[in-house]
């Protein structure tokens, strides 16, 4: 479904890069885990980060997609406005309508265009997006989406090994040393991120049960990019920094595994590690189960109102198949809504609808196979019920989206691109390469190792 609240996209893009920062840059052993040799690890990290940086950096939209994109944004909560308009879809199949996009890196940045029958990516940085709208009943519709991005030949198991190496390293972190080492090990990334973010503290505390507690604290400073990216700075200060967020992962036994909080631009992440794995925050060390829960509270600014949810609970499933690792969240329970009083009264039934039946489903996966491009995958599904008040809510969100696209979007892409290129160069240098460019040897070695 269209991103009616662009701050979610900003957060998602930054989160992907921070994952790369932590996994590939925070620990040389983590970066080395991506290949069977430093040369192969350097090649795979360059391909992975190059693909992420290309996709989430500056992009060019063909005119056909640029025109449709605005209509989809306005219609995300009122899809009847576009369901029967054949001019906005690339194809129709029975009661389903389909929009297909293809993307690829170019010399000028990244190209996104409409393409009927868009194929799966077969090269680094290639992208496919499928968006389906299906009518379920009168005034009820279902959105289904899927994104596929080619990221080289890195294996899902290798990324898991890199995360294990990072956790092992975290058990040895001590704040004075790690805060000094990060700028030295990653000078370009530190400088690029430092325009907007400061790492305020890294606190570690060994516990008697053998686990180590880690707390990371950071602050967003929109004023740091005000001169070079004024539109993005204003948008972040107005919409993102004031957002209040708290999320905790917990299992059926009541053990907490991870806690993330943010308020007024300050964010903190709390977790424990033991022998290279996450450990419970409030129980002796053990392996995280394949099923657990995620409870989230979030309050954000929408137009002149403060809106949000409390106790939004998702049921999480981890899958560790040989060639595909995935993380799926299903939301079946309606949360407690924070809405203007009159709006809340009229929205009760429409807001309950997405959680009925299959509920809201969000899935992330990495899939690799011998001789084919490794894919990062996102799938999602959500049903909506239209009403007059939902139209109002969609209009308020679209107003924010329009504000984002008047300058902030382009500047955000430029910032993400700068950080990605810096991270790619630092990872290459850390692994002994003089350049972040792929020399072609990693891919060949990777195929040989797979065989």
């Amino acid at each position: 479904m269209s991103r009616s609240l662009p701050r979610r996209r900003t957060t998602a893009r930054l989160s992907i890069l921070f994952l790369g920062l932590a996994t590939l840059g925070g620990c040389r052993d983590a970066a080395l885990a991506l290949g069977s040799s430093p040369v192969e690890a350097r090649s795979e990290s360059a391909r992975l980060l190059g693909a992420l940086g290309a996709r989430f950096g500056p992009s060019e939209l063909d005119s056909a997609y640029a025109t449709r994109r605005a209509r989809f944004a306005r219609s995300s909560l009122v899809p009847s406005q576009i369901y029967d308009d054949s001019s906005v879809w690339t194809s129709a199949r029975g009661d389903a309508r389909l929009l297909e996009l293809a993307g690829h890196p170019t010399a000028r940045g990244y190209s996104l265009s409409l393409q009927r029958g868009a194929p799966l990516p077969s090269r680094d940085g290639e992208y496919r997006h499928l968006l389906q709208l299906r009518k379920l009943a009168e005034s009820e519709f279902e959105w289904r989406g899927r994104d596929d991005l080619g990221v080289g030949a890195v294996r899902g198991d290798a990324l898991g090994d890199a995360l294990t190496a990072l956790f092992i390293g975290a058990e040895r972190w001590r704040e004075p040393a790690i805060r000094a080492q990060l700028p030295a090990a990653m000078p370009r990334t530190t400088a690029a991120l430092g325009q907007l973010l400061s790492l305020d503290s890294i606190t570690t505390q060994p516990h008697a049960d053998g686990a180590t507690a880690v707390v990371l604290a950071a602050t967003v400073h929109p004023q740091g990019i005000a001169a070079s990216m004024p539109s993005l700075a204003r948008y972040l200060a107005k919409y993102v920094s004031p957002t209040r967020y708290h999320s905790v992962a917990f299992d059926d036994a009541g053990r907490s595994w991870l806690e993330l909080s943010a308020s007024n631009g300050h964010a903190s992440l709390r977790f424990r590690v033991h022998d290279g794995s996450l450990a419970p925050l409030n129980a002796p060390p053990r392996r995280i189960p394949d099923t657990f829960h995620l409870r989230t509270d979030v309050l954000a600014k929408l137009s002149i109102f403060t809106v949000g949810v409390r106790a939004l609970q998702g049921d999480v499933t981890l899958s560790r198949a040989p060639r595909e690792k995935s993380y799926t969240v299903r939301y079946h329970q309606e949360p407690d809504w924070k809405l203007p009083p009159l709006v809340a009264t009229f929205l009760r039934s429409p807001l309950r609808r997405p959680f009925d039946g299959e509920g809201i489903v969000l899935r992330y996966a990495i899939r690799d196979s011998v001789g084919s491009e490794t894919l990062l995958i996102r799938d999602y599904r959500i049903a909506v019920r239209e009403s007059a008040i939902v139209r109002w809510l969609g209009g308020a969100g679209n107003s924010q989206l329009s504000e984002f696209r008047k300058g902030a979007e382009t500047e955000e892409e430029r910032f993400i691109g700068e950080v990605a290129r810096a991270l790619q160069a630092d990872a290459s240098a850390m692994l002994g390469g003089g350049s972040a460019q792929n020399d072609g040897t990693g891919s060949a070695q990777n195929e040989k190792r797979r065989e």
Side-chain angles (χ1 to χ4, degrees):
M1 190 165 68
S2 297
R3 298 181 180 93
S4 58
L5 294 179
R7 67 170 147 266
R8 294 176 182 172
R9 186 180 75 167
T10 301
T11 303
R13 289 183 170 190
L14 288 172
S15 297
I16 289 172
L17 285 176
F18 292 160
L19 175 63
L21 170 63
T23 304
L24 300 176
C27 172
R28 187 172 186 270
D29 289 342
L32 284 170
L34 295 182
S36 59
S37 70
V39 172
E40 182 181 342
R42 185 170 70 247
S43 173
E44 295 304 340
S45 68
R47 296 178 69 183
L48 171 65
L49 291 170
L52 290 172
R55 172 64 187 92
F56 296 111
S59 60
E60 296 181 347
L61 314 181
D62 73 351
S63 58
Y65 174 49
T67 301
R68 286 166 173 78
R69 189 171 70 143
R71 292 199 61 189
F72 274 88
R74 292 193 299 269
S75 305
S76 59
L77 296 179
V78 282
S80 62
Q81 294 178 344
I82 57 174
Y83 179 74
D84 289 320
D85 187 348
S86 60
S87 68
V88 304
W89 306 102
T90 52
S91 63
R93 300 170 186 170
D95 62 354
R97 309 292 182 262
L98 189 65
L99 181 77
E100 301 160 282
L101 293 176
H104 63 274
T106 69
R108 298 176 58 183
Y110 199 85
S111 172
L112 283 168
S113 59
L114 293 178
Q115 183 177 333
R116 183 169 183 172
L120 274 174
S122 60
R123 297 176 182 272
D124 299 359
E126 287 186 346
Y127 168 73
R128 183 185 73 169
H129 174 65
L130 305 178
L131 180 65
Q132 176 185 282
L133 177 64
R134 188 164 63 92
K135 190 170 185 177
L136 303 177
E138 187 65 29
S139 300
E140 290 194 5
F141 296 83
E142 177 192 72
W143 292 99
R144 287 184 182 265
R146 179 180 173 110
D147 300 288
D148 298 278
L149 177 66
V151 292
V154 64
R155 296 179 300 111
D157 286 341
L159 286 178
D161 293 343
L163 189 60
T164 297
L166 178 67
F167 284 154
I168 290 173
E171 295 182 65
R172 299 192 296 265
W173 286 352
R174 296 298 179 266
E175 180 162 7
I178 191 65
R179 286 174 64 84
Q181 290 168 5
L182 278 175
M186 307 185 67
R188 304 167 187 84
T189 308
T190 301
L193 278 175
Q195 301 174 82
L196 180 60
L197 300 167
S198 65
L199 181 60
D200 301 327
S201 64
I202 303 176
T203 304
T204 60
Q205 181 180 358
H207 288 176
D209 61 8
T212 299
V214 181
V215 180
L216 307 178
T219 301
V220 178
H221 301 282
Q223 67 274 17
I225 59 171
S228 58
M229 304 175 191
S231 297
L232 179 59
R234 287 193 298 270
Y235 180 85
L236 293 174
K238 183 176 181 179
Y239 292 110
V240 177
S241 293
T243 298
R244 300 196 297 276
Y245 180 92
H246 180 262
S247 188
V248 59
F250 65 97
D251 61 27
D252 290 335
R255 293 180 289 258
S256 299
W257 291 84
L258 197 73
E259 186 174 14
L260 175 63
S261 300
S263 180
N264 296 319
H266 302 284
S268 65
L269 175 65
R270 188 165 70 97
F271 59 95
R272 291 207 313 159
V273 288
H274 179 262
D275 287 343
S277 298
L278 277 179
L281 293 171
N282 56 350
R286 66 186 63 218
R287 181 181 173 87
I288 189 169
D290 289 339
T291 58
F292 56 94
H293 313 284
L294 191 65
R295 185 172 55 243
T296 300
D297 302 326
V298 57
L299 292 174
K301 189 173 182 180
L302 180 62
S303 185
I304 62 173
F305 303 103
T306 297
V307 301
V309 296
R310 293 188 177 93
L312 174 63
Q313 182 166 313
D315 300 322
V316 182
T317 302
L318 303 178
S319 175
R320 302 183 176 94
R323 289 292 182 179
E324 181 171 308
K325 317 300 178 188
S326 67
Y327 169 97
T328 304
V329 189
R330 292 177 172 84
Y331 294 95
H332 295 285
Q333 303 176 30
E334 184 184 6
D336 295 327
W337 299 97
K338 169 65 175 176
L339 297 167
L342 184 60
V343 174
T345 299
F346 286 99
L347 272 178
R348 182 55 51 203
S349 177
L351 286 181
R352 187 181 301 117
R353 177 61 184 90
F355 302 93
D356 293 339
E358 294 183 43
I360 301 172
V361 181
L362 178 63
R363 175 178 174 267
Y364 292 94
I366 180 168
R367 177 186 298 167
D368 63 82
S369 59
V370 176
S372 298
E373 188 78 7
T374 295
L375 299 177
L376 289 185
I377 302 166
R378 181 184 70 153
D379 295 299
Y380 56 93
R381 176 229 177 252
I382 184 171
V384 298
R385 175 179 294 157
E386 295 186 356
S387 71
I389 201 70
V390 165
R391 289 185 176 89
W392 171 86
L393 187 64
N398 190 60
S399 175
Q400 181 185 331
L401 178 61
S402 297
E403 186 173 343
F404 174 71
R405 287 180 175 168
K406 292 178 181 177
E409 181 178 35
T410 300
E411 292 174 359
E412 180 215 47
E413 291 175 346
R414 177 156 56 90
F415 177 77
I416 295 293
E418 290 176 5
V419 174
R421 287 190 296 273
L423 179 56
Q424 188 179 19
D426 282 340
S428 178
M430 181 183 297
L431 293 169
S435 168
Q437 300 299 316
N438 177 23
D439 59 10
T441 59
S443 179
Q445 290 183 3
N446 200 45
E447 291 306 320
K448 182 177 180 180
R449 174 164 57 88
R450 290 181 183 182
E451 294 171 357

